[in-house]
Amino acid sequence: MESRIALKEEYTRFVGRKLLFMAALSLSIVIIAGISATLGSANLSVFEVYSAILARAFPGYFETTWFADTIVWGLRLHRILMGVVAGAGLGVAGAAMQGILKNPLASPFTLGISSAASFGAALAIILGAGFAGGEYLIIGNAFVFTLLATFAVYGLAKYKGITPETMILAGIAIMYFFSAMTSFLQYVGRAEQVQEVVFWMMGSLGRSSWDKVYASALMIIICLPYLILKSWDINAIGAGDETAKSLGVNVERIRVLSMIFASLITASVICFTGTIGFIGLVAPHMTRMVIGGDHRFLIPGSALMGSVILLAADTLARTVLAPVILPVGIMTSFLGVPFFVYLFMKRRKEFW
């Protein structure tokens, strides 16, 4: 009886440490968001920023000025929330892909999904062809080609059997194919078109709006519950396909559906922001190093970590060469490379 109580207390502390880590990440998001909202030509303090935010939520208890309300809600806050939502989505997608494929290098980039989005955007910019019209031409193309790449990976893998190896190899093939097609379009395009394609591929939160924030958040809200609900199954898959099958897990079904949901989340983010690298790769690794590989906590933890990294990267991108704003994709790469060098030097044999 005493051993059972001691084991229960130890498990409670074990879970408590994970929840404390996620609470710290949540607080970090709030702090960084407040600092980020003060950046710009209009000089606002952190107090004025939070007053403007809280005055909308609790109008009877907080007061703000028209100027601060206009700057915060009209110009800055949707960019910040886009960073939070996009970082969370890419973090979740990376954690899910790494879990179902049992590969530390799996991410929306290494599986060809982002390359397909870049091709869709290049097709819209250079040839004006696409699945939608007007301002939604680039967005629609990026979204549709992301899903096409996902089903192409599934189709190729299905032909040889749905295993981590076949899905990764299929993803690499798709990545090189769409990269080659994008390069061809850049070769035949005009200089200003090529410049626009390159800028889109760098990734930026500058194209954000409230509608885009709502659309990305809605897709994440729809897809995330399934991934969390199946976190036990993903844990079992991590122990090996045969072990998972012996525990009653339909491995192929879980792998395919998780891949589709992760791809939908990725598509809903990068169609608005462009290709932002390293978040889907780095955020799950950093979270795993702190709280372990239990996907019940790893998936929501990766979402929070992704938000922190992307929001911090965008804040740095707006201050390093101010008033020039660097594309956030450049900054995430600068932050991601040192992490992988550290990971490589720190770990001797095992990387998972």
Side-chain angles (χ1 to χ4, degrees):
M1 186 66 180
E2 291 181 359
S3 60
R4 181 181 297 180
I5 295 174
L7 185 62
K8 185 176 180 179
E9 291 178 350
E10 184 178 353
Y11 180 75
T12 302
R13 290 194 298 269
F14 176 75
V15 173
R17 287 194 297 269
K18 300 177 187 296
L19 296 178
L20 181 63
F21 173 72
M22 287 190 279
L25 289 178
S26 301
L27 180 61
S28 299
I29 293 173
V30 174
I31 294 172
I32 298 172
I35 296 172
S36 181
T38 64
L39 302 176
S41 56
N43 190 20
L44 295 177
S45 66
V46 175
F47 176 78
E48 290 175 309
V49 167
Y50 281 119
S51 296
I53 295 173
L54 293 172
R56 287 280 186 103
F58 308 101
Y61 299 93
F62 296 90
E63 294 183 356
T64 186
T65 63
W66 173 85
F67 178 75
D69 184 79
T70 301
I71 295 297
V72 172
W73 285 93
L75 300 176
R76 297 180 182 175
L77 194 57
H78 60 76
R79 180 190 181 109
I80 293 169
L81 291 180
M82 192 69 200
V84 173
V85 171
L90 294 174
V92 166
M97 290 178 180
Q98 290 172 12
I100 60 176
L101 298 177
K102 300 181 292 184
N103 191 309
L105 296 180
S107 76
F109 279 77
T110 55
L111 293 177
I113 295 173
S114 296
S115 298
S118 297
F119 171 73
L123 192 68
I125 294 170
I126 295 176
L127 299 183
F131 298 92
E135 62 176 317
Y136 297 104
L137 179 61
I138 297 175
I139 295 171
N141 268 22
F143 187 87
V144 170
F145 275 96
T146 298
L147 298 185
L148 288 176
T150 301
F151 288 111
V153 170
Y154 169 73
L156 289 173
K158 179 72 173 177
Y159 180 73
K160 298 295 289 184
I162 303 295
T163 64
E165 293 79 11
T166 57
M167 294 189 75
I168 291 170
L169 290 174
I172 292 173
I174 293 298
M175 177 184 68
Y176 278 109
F177 172 75
F178 280 114
S179 295
M181 294 293 289
T182 303
S183 298
F184 174 76
L185 289 176
Q186 289 177 299
Y187 182 77
V188 301
R190 298 192 305 272
E192 61 273 15
Q193 293 173 331
V194 173
Q195 184 178 9
E196 186 176 353
V197 171
V198 171
F199 181 77
W200 190 92
M201 291 171 63
M202 289 179 181
S204 173
L205 299 179
R207 296 182 287 268
S208 65
S209 67
W210 285 109
D211 290 340
K212 294 175 181 178
V213 172
Y214 296 148
S216 295
L218 179 61
M219 184 62 73
I220 294 173
I221 290 171
I222 291 173
C223 297
L224 184 58
Y226 175 84
L227 296 175
I228 294 179
L229 184 65
K230 297 299 180 180
S231 57
W232 273 114
D233 294 341
I234 298 176
N235 286 342
I237 291 174
D241 287 6
E242 295 301 322
T243 301
K245 290 176 182 178
S246 69
L247 294 173
V249 177
N250 188 333
V251 174
E252 182 174 325
R253 179 182 175 85
I254 295 297
R255 187 165 281 143
V256 170
L257 288 178
S258 297
M259 184 71 177
I260 290 173
F261 280 116
S263 299
L264 281 171
I265 292 174
T266 304
S268 69
V269 170
I270 62 178
C271 71
F272 296 126
T273 64
T275 52
I276 299 176
F278 271 106
I279 300 295
L281 199 60
V282 171
H285 279 297
M286 295 181 70
T287 307
R288 192 179 290 109
M289 290 171 69
V290 178
I291 64 174
D294 187 343
H295 286 80
R296 294 177 301 160
F297 303 99
L298 179 62
I299 290 176
S302 297
L304 294 172
M305 181 63 79
S307 296
V308 169
I309 295 173
L310 186 53
L311 199 55
D314 186 57
T315 303
L316 288 174
R318 295 167 60 191
T319 56
V320 171
L321 296 178
V324 177
I325 300 176
L326 290 174
V328 70
I330 296 176
M331 195 58 63
T332 56
S333 297
F334 275 130
L335 295 176
V337 171
F339 167 76
F340 272 97
V341 172
Y342 166 79
L343 186 66
F344 178 78
M345 299 299 292
K346 188 73 174 178
R347 301 291 182 91
R348 295 184 178 180
K349 295 182 179 179
E350 297 181 357
F351 287 87
W352 185 247

